[in-house]
Amino acid sequence: MAAATASPMASQLKSSFASSSSARSLIAPKGLSSSSFRVLPAKRTPSFTVKAVQSEKVGLAHGFLLVGPFVKAGPLRNTEYAGAAGSLAAGGLVVILSVCLTMYGIASFNEGEPSTAPSLTLTGRKKEPDQLQTADGWAKFSGGFFFGGISGVIWAYFLLYVVNLPYFVK
């Protein structure tokens, strides 16, 4: 299998990808260069640092969106302490989720072992193994989730209760 030739299906896929990428460059809107589209998430090349930053984004979204239900549906919803209690509850849930992510990583991955992700694609090309499927990668993901989640809770509290913005429902 070391010197396997490409199957007809693999060569068809390769030729269709090559033709679609050449046609895709012609569709760029007038006045915009294709270099400005490289910063979009779909166009980024995957790297471990990008995945670590993405874990912070995932945590930020969770922390930011968890405050609302705790404020509006929590047990202290009709008191003056609803905002603080809801934010603390959301922060507590982010901590609990981060501990669960850490426990999963400890139970699933052994320190120093290589990635458990497959290193071949369906067409037989070799790819770099996913670093998230290692103990170090999962630890970085759960740390980024914790940092992003707590930041999201603080940001939501700041926007809702520190900045005096005109809200329709408060």
Side-chain angles (χ1 to χ4, degrees), residues 28 31-40 43:
L32 294 175
S33 67
S34 64
S35 64
S36 62
F37 291 115
R38 289 188 186 141
V39 296
L40 295 174
K43 297 290 183 182

Side-chain angles (χ1 to χ4, degrees), residues 53-124:
V53 171
Q54 286 177 350
S55 68
E56 291 173 5
K57 289 179 184 179
V58 169
L60 187 69
H62 279 81
F64 187 78
L65 295 176
L66 282 173
V67 173
F70 281 112
V71 170
K72 291 296 181 183
L76 298 175
R77 63 182 166 264
N78 294 329
T79 65
E80 62 187 60
Y81 304 111
S87 297
L88 287 173
L93 184 57
V94 167
V95 169
I96 290 170
L97 291 173
S98 298
V99 168
C100 291
L101 284 172
T102 302
M103 289 184 344
Y104 173 78
I106 291 170
S108 298
F109 308 112
N110 295 326
E111 193 71 34
E113 285 190 4
S115 175
T116 58
S119 60
L120 291 176
T121 63
L122 291 175
T123 59

Side-chain angles (χ1 to χ4, degrees), residues 1 8 24 27 29 64 76 96 111 124 128 136 155 158 166-167:
M1 283 208 133
R24 197 178 301 148
I27 302 175
F64 187 78
L76 298 175
I96 290 170
E111 193 71 34
E128 190 174 318
D136 185 45
W155 184 242
F158 179 77
Y167 294 109

